[in-house]
Amino acid sequence: MGAAIKLRHLRCFVAVAETGSFTLAANRLFQTQSSLTATIKQLEEAAGLKLFDRTTRRVELTKDAIWFKVVAERVLRDFDNAISDLQAISKSQRGHIKIAVAPSMMTHILAPTLKAFRRLYPDITISVYDQGSDKIERSVLEGEMDFGLSSRLNNFSDLDYVPVLSDPFGVVFPGDHPLATRKGKVTWEDLKAFDYVGLTEDTGIGAIIARHRELGLNERAETHDHASSTTSLYALLHLGGKISVLPSLAARTSPLTEFEFRELSEPVVTREICLITRHLRSHSPSTQRIIEILLATIKSTDDMHGAKAL
């Protein structure tokens, strides 16, 4: 029986119940009175009950139909609200986005992206997680995040990695370090003369350096200090007298900005930043819109401290 009763039956029933008139109800619903009468008859036949008593002046609910009006109104209200919610989400008038990004992407890339997005879609709430590459990939893989922005570390087969940014490596050192007085290019070979602080291989930056064994830094792994993040790297560099290597955007992110930075050559080594999403997973309209703004922000930013859009 339930399958035979449609939403149109409930709308017609409620309209007649509220107006007390088939004529007024038909006008409200923009249909003919004969069509409305037929729909009510179908509902009564499906229910097996008479729902209205008809007099010469007014149409009134039968005793058995009074409680059903409350139920019908609730069903229609819940359905209409649900459709309104779906439409609001599709128009980015409602919803929530969760993003995981490498710390160096916060200031230079994500901040202007969020500003532009919030101006267009002020009612969408956003959660931003500052994480390392491994955690970013795993959180996207497990569905905890809508997308990530980081270098490729684990290269999970269930994730899509779209390169969006190329970020050149350089050397970071205190202002009173001997490198501060050197003119011209600085090469990877030049670094061998100085004490070095490296990032661990479970970080995206550390993994890139580990893959480039020709740079000569891996040979000193047993003798140099290690940091597990750029925050701990700052603490070690602040002890003085040592250098590290970082991509440009990481070196230009507080608090590391108090140190000097020079791009390295021979060879030029870059970090590839990727937009990371789950393979074959569809995005919500709001997520798709913020990704579009993110990509537009990367392409339109004039000064990215040597980093380039891909």
Side-chain angles (χ1 to χ4, degrees):
M1 180 185 70
I5 299 177
K6 310 296 184 183
L7 286 174
R8 64 183 180 85
H9 291 100
L10 300 185
R11 293 194 191 282
C12 290
F13 168 76
V14 170
V16 174
E18 288 181 344
T19 61
S21 166
F22 276 82
T23 302
L24 294 177
N27 290 337
R28 176 194 288 189
L29 297 171
F30 300 101
Q31 59 182 266
T32 64
Q33 185 172 334
S34 60
S35 174
L36 175 61
T37 301
T39 301
I40 294 298
K41 183 178 180 181
Q42 290 172 359
L43 177 60
E44 290 178 325
E45 290 176 350
L49 288 171
K50 186 178 180 182
L51 300 176
F52 293 102
D53 286 324
R54 298 159 177 82
T55 68
T56 55
R57 293 188 175 182
R58 187 170 176 84
V59 178
E60 296 181 349
L61 288 168
T62 63
K63 181 180 178 181
D64 293 322
I66 292 174
W67 67 270
F68 182 65
K69 178 175 179 289
V70 176
V71 175
E73 288 173 333
R74 183 174 69 245
V75 170
L76 291 172
R77 182 172 60 251
D78 289 346
F79 177 80
D80 291 341
N81 287 342
I83 294 300
S84 294
D85 288 345
L86 285 176
Q87 292 172 338
I89 292 170
S90 73
K91 297 175 183 177
S92 292
Q93 295 172 345
R94 191 176 304 171
H96 186 75
I97 303 171
K98 293 185 290 185
I99 309 168
V101 300
S104 56
M105 297 296 106
M106 287 285 189
T107 302
H108 309 290
I109 305 299
L110 191 63
T113 296
L114 295 181
K115 185 176 182 180
F117 182 81
R118 179 54 55 84
R119 186 169 60 250
L120 294 172
Y121 308 104
D123 296 324
I124 299 298
T125 56
I126 304 169
S127 293
V128 177
Y129 296 82
D130 176 349
Q131 298 175 335
S133 296
D134 180 66
K135 287 186 177 180
I136 290 173
E137 287 175 291
R138 293 184 187 279
S139 63
V140 175
L141 182 67
E142 294 169 6
E144 297 172 359
M145 300 292 145
D146 291 302
F147 68 91
L149 192 64
S150 179
S151 56
R152 187 193 314 243
L153 179 62
N154 298 299
N155 200 30
F156 290 119
S157 59
D158 287 337
L159 293 181
D160 289 331
Y161 299 83
V162 178
V164 296
L165 197 66
S166 176
D167 194 11
F169 272 84
V171 58
V172 181
F173 51 90
D176 58 358
H177 192 274
L179 276 175
T181 60
R182 178 171 298 197
K183 305 296 182 183
K185 294 182 178 180
V186 179
T187 68
W188 293 90
E189 183 69 23
D190 295 331
L191 304 185
K192 293 182 178 180
F194 306 111
D195 290 334
Y196 168 66
V197 181
L199 283 161
T200 54
E201 291 187 26
D202 61 349
T203 64
I205 296 171
I208 294 171
I209 297 301
R211 288 197 294 267
H212 287 273
R213 305 197 69 83
E214 74 279 5
L215 302 177
L217 295 178
N218 295 307
E219 300 169 3
R220 304 161 60 188
E222 297 298 324
T223 60
H224 67 240
D225 295 331
H226 290 84
S228 63
S229 68
T230 52
T231 303
S232 53
L233 176 64
Y234 169 80
L236 288 170
L237 286 176
H238 211 263
L239 296 174
K242 297 190 177 184
I243 65 167
S244 188
V245 294
L246 289 173
S248 177
L249 292 180
R252 263 89 175 207
T253 299
S254 180
L256 292 169
T257 50
E258 71 177 64
F259 299 110
E260 301 291 327
F261 175 81
R262 298 270 294 279
E263 284 190 27
L264 286 161
S265 59
E266 300 179 19
V268 173
V269 179
T270 61
R271 169 180 65 161
E272 186 180 73
I273 296 296
C274 296
L275 172 67
I276 304 173
T277 58
R278 284 184 67 184
H279 185 56
L280 299 179
R281 181 186 182 184
S282 60
H283 300 304
S284 71
S286 296
T287 299
Q288 185 59 46
R289 289 183 177 111
I290 199 170
I291 287 175
E292 291 170 357
I293 292 174
L294 169 70
L295 297 178
T297 298
I298 292 174
K299 291 184 181 297
S300 64
T301 301
D302 295 327
D303 183 12
M304 289 195 291
H305 305 289
K308 296 181 180 179
L310 295 177

